[in-house]
Amino acid sequence: MQAKNDMPGGATDLVRARDQLLEGGDTRHPRLDAHALRQALVDLHDLWLTAKGAELGITADSGLAVVAVGGLGRREMLPYSDLDLVLLHDNVDAARVAEVADSLWYPLWDAHIKLDHSVRTVPQALRVAADDLTAALGMLDARHIVGDVELSNLLIGGVRREWRTGIRSRFSDLVEQANQRWRRSGEIAHRAEPDLKNGRGGLRDIQLLDALAIAQLTDAMPGLGPDVPGGGLKQAHRRLLDVRTELHRVAGRARDQLRAQDADEIGSALRIGDRFDLARTLSDAARTVGYSVDVGLRTAGNALPRRGLARLRRIPVRRPLDEGVVEHAGEVVLARDARPQKDPGLILRVAAASAQHALPMSATTLNRLSEDAPELREPWPREALNDLLVLLGTGRTIVAAVEALDRTGLWGRLFPEWGAVRDLPPRDPVHTWTVDRHLVETVAYASALSTRVSRPDLLLLGALLHDIGKGRTEDHSIVGADLATHIGRRLGLWPQDVRTLSAIVRYHLLLPDTATRRDLADPETVDTVVRALEGDPQLLELLHALAEADSLATGPGVWGDWKASLIRELVRRSRLAMAGEALPQPDPIDPQLLVKAKAGGVHVELTPGDGRYTHVVTIVAPDTAGLLSEAAGVLALHSLRVLSASLGAEGDSAIDTFVVSPKFGDPPDVGLLRQELIRAINGELDLAAVLSKKELDAGLPPNPYAQAQPRVLWTETTVPGQVLLELRAEDRIGLLSRLAGALAGVRVNVLWAKVVTRGASVVDAFCLDLRGPDTPERRAGIEAALLAVVPQPLPPKPKDAEEE
């Protein structure tokens, strides 16, 4: 470096040489890029300190040493970073030490260089590190500059040794310090003017990871190597440093917060683009760092050395969660017999289990899936689509699950279209999140509204894809509708559902734009909506729920009473102008089953279903009160999840057909199912108690992570005494058995039923015989009985608790 060769010995010359490096741009002194500038500044300061140290007699045998911490210690010197220096001494006369210190510090102060300094013996420095967590973290970056290298090594080795041995007692303070910093500075990825140093995902978090690595609790790049989107943690670190370096250069002073007015210049200097391109780059880097910190802290917490009675604790057991998926030490991991190479749907089962149980996915598991799991064939198997719907229906826990999948490249494998919106900054300042995070936030809000619609699966998919067309020059609604068509076909949706999904994306802004910009009293306003939706009341219902979820996910104040009332009125008027929806009808009964019904007795059949993990269970038995509850309970007892069911009767026999999916392994022997059904019919098996125990053994409360308010809808039929009851709720273990038992408990006869599980939600239609007293009080009693057994939303947290 020319600046190094020309630099005289004074501190003012140090400043002049630094300014020369910053002002480069001519033939003799070309402008250095951010990385080269940092290295030049490190060399510059090392050279000055080494020369000054030699001038002051700080030599190898002097008992004195200069150690750098902070940016110079890490070799990450920024243009206007403070100089953090420690003058170490060992049995040196106090007057001599004071003389050397003054001669070293004063030239720097006179040159107006910001200096953080201290003069200590090694034992004194070690005591400071032991008493002050911030000081200890700083000394972990210590680097010898000049003088007695053995003295410096005593400090560096001692600090690191005591850090490793004392980490168990300091870990909780380390975590709390990070949480406080994140609360003060926010997330870099979603701040208009982020704090590059202290924000979540910033440079302090890189140092935190390094500290955990020094403590030998995790490696320095937990979970993310160079092959993931964005280039991994090392590349993210480099990008953050580059942006902060240019921020110093543009501001002409030390600065951590990136101001909006500087973003374009910094983006141009780094050849990234404009301020939106810079924001996207920062979001990617910060989210990569944030994910790595989550993994690092979790790994470190599990690796902490045990002492005392903690050593006697049993090794954590592996609790089954799904086929090939278990919980171990508070993380979702693969079962020992899992074969990712032969199980492409395993990625979604792992993610769904993670979100359902609010447990993080192990970084090792995600890396193994990334390396070994094959691509899902198109169209997706039905089980994979169902696992995706379960993931989408879990509420707030989906955010962490999708973030982990996305940072490790797995989400982009499932949805290649995601790359266009990943880390894409919003153009409208009313938006809080990047486009990809906004889509996930919308899904989380939509899951709480899923019981308002008859097709919660299409609502969740529409929420996930409604802005997928952004990041392109064309109208994102039109582009997104085409993409949704391709995605829907890839997922294996029915053609009609593909058309509906595409229409959701195409018209997701129709209701809010029309309601807030046009006169609702004008008949043409309603006609515009009805024509656009081709008179489809189901699509209208889905768009209504999506409009609310989309607004809530956009930012504070976007959804309010005024907007909600306008859209509600527009929907009411539009529904009146549309034809009514067809009522559910019972499925026809297979003639062969009618023969078995006439023969009497209990018959159970188990045949393969359409998918790899689906089976069809057919039960023909005497139509007694409580049979449906007993049949569904026996299925749940054997971890057979009911995906759909058609329940009918012929004469004195009930004929029930269930499409089921085993939670683990193969389904039970059909003879065992028949035997336990007979026991249940005879009152020898207490299904309610067994199912409650099974739910507790699974580690789930009676109402696991419920988001949506359950709904009961009544519809009159043309047959006197018969009424249709539709229940929309979130699923739970043995729900159909509990519902049927509740109906039997209030002495209601179920004539037929159609049951559908869509991801984490159920839409169950029962045709009830209400001949006799059909009063509001009786219907209220039926509703209360059903609502008593379905998951209810957890009460909202107090505001103070949320802030903590």
Side-chain angles (χ1 to χ4, degrees), residues 208-355:
L208 174 59
L209 288 173
D210 289 339
L212 295 176
I214 291 171
Q216 299 179 348
L217 297 180
T218 182
D219 59 44
M221 289 198 300
L224 291 180
D227 297 330
V228 301
L233 185 61
K234 186 175 181 179
Q235 180 66 18
H237 184 192
R238 169 80 175 264
R239 286 173 174 170
L240 288 167
L241 278 174
D242 287 351
V243 175
R244 189 166 175 238
T245 300
E246 292 300 334
L247 176 59
H248 277 218
R249 182 145 52 181
V250 168
R253 61 185 180 87
R255 177 170 285 158
D256 299 324
Q257 189 169 25
L258 174 62
R259 299 182 303 179
Q261 60 263 39
D262 296 330
D264 281 322
E265 185 176 352
I266 292 173
S268 177
L270 293 173
R271 299 182 181 179
I272 291 174
D274 63 12
R275 60 192 176 96
F276 294 104
D277 298 315
L278 178 63
R280 189 171 194 176
T281 298
L282 281 176
S283 173
D284 175 50
R287 289 164 76 173
T288 296
V289 173
Y291 170 75
S292 299
V293 167
D294 288 341
V295 172
L297 288 175
R298 195 164 65 243
T299 303
N302 290 333
L304 283 175
R306 296 179 178 181
R307 294 181 179 176
L309 295 177
R311 291 181 175 179
L312 304 178
R313 292 177 185 168
R314 296 176 59 187
I315 297 174
V317 297
R318 299 171 71 87
R319 179 168 65 105
L321 300 177
D322 206 334
E323 180 67 29
V325 186
V326 300
E327 176 203 350
H328 178 71
E331 294 183 320
V332 176
V333 302
L334 299 183
R336 293 189 177 94
D337 59 352
R339 298 292 180 267
Q341 302 92 335
K342 299 181 179 180
D343 191 353
L346 188 56
I347 295 173
L348 284 165
R349 287 208 303 283
V350 168
S354 169

Side-chain angles (χ1 to χ4, degrees), residues 66-94:
V66 176
V67 172
V69 296
L72 184 59
R74 293 188 300 273
R75 298 184 185 275
E76 295 175 358
M77 197 66 186
L78 273 63
Y80 298 99
S81 291
D82 292 357
L83 264 183
D84 295 328
L85 301 174
V86 179
L87 176 61
L88 293 176
H89 63 94
D90 181 25
N91 295 322
V92 177
D93 181 71

Side-chain angles (χ1 to χ4, degrees), residues 99-175:
E99 177 187 358
V100 170
D102 289 345
S103 299
L104 185 60
W105 308 147
Y106 273 99
L108 296 171
W109 286 329
D110 291 342
H112 304 292
I113 294 174
K114 292 183 179 179
L115 178 66
D116 188 355
H117 63 92
S118 61
V119 180
R120 305 189 193 281
T121 63
V122 170
Q124 288 172 342
L126 292 178
R127 281 197 297 272
V128 171
D131 295 337
D132 187 331
L133 181 60
T134 301
L137 290 170
M139 289 189 201
L140 291 176
D141 296 325
R143 181 170 64 89
H144 173 75
I145 299 296
V146 65
D148 189 342
V149 68
E150 294 299 326
L151 197 60
S152 297
N153 288 340
L154 282 174
L155 172 66
I156 295 169
V159 167
R160 294 189 169 212
R161 183 172 56 255
E162 293 190 7
W163 178 255
R164 285 193 295 271
T165 58
I167 189 62
R168 183 178 180 276
S169 61
R170 309 185 81 168
F171 184 73
S172 60
D173 292 336
L174 186 68
V175 174

Side-chain angles (χ1 to χ4, degrees), residues 587-597 600-609 614-622 627-628 630-632 634-635 640 642 644-649 653-661 667-675 677 681:
D587 292 332
I589 298 176
D590 187 330
Q592 294 183 1
L593 297 178
L594 295 177
V595 174
K596 292 184 178 181
V602 176
H603 303 272
V604 180
E605 295 180 359
L606 178 64
T607 56
T614 57
H615 305 269
V616 179
V617 177
T618 304
I619 295 174
V620 180
L627 174 65
L628 174 57
E630 292 150 357
V634 168
L635 297 178
L640 295 175
V642 177
S644 64
S646 179
L647 318 170
S653 295
I655 304 174
D656 300 341
T657 302
F658 304 87
V659 178
V660 300
S661 176
D669 180 77
V670 67
L672 178 61
L673 289 178
R674 180 178 182 275
Q675 178 183 354
L677 176 59
I681 293 173

Side-chain angles (χ1 to χ4, degrees), residues 101 107 125 245 261 310 369 372 501 603 607 644 738 771 786:
T245 300
Q261 60 263 39
L369 289 172
D372 297 340
L501 178 61
H603 303 272
T607 56
S644 64
R738 301 172 195 272
R771 281 174 292 186
L786 294 176

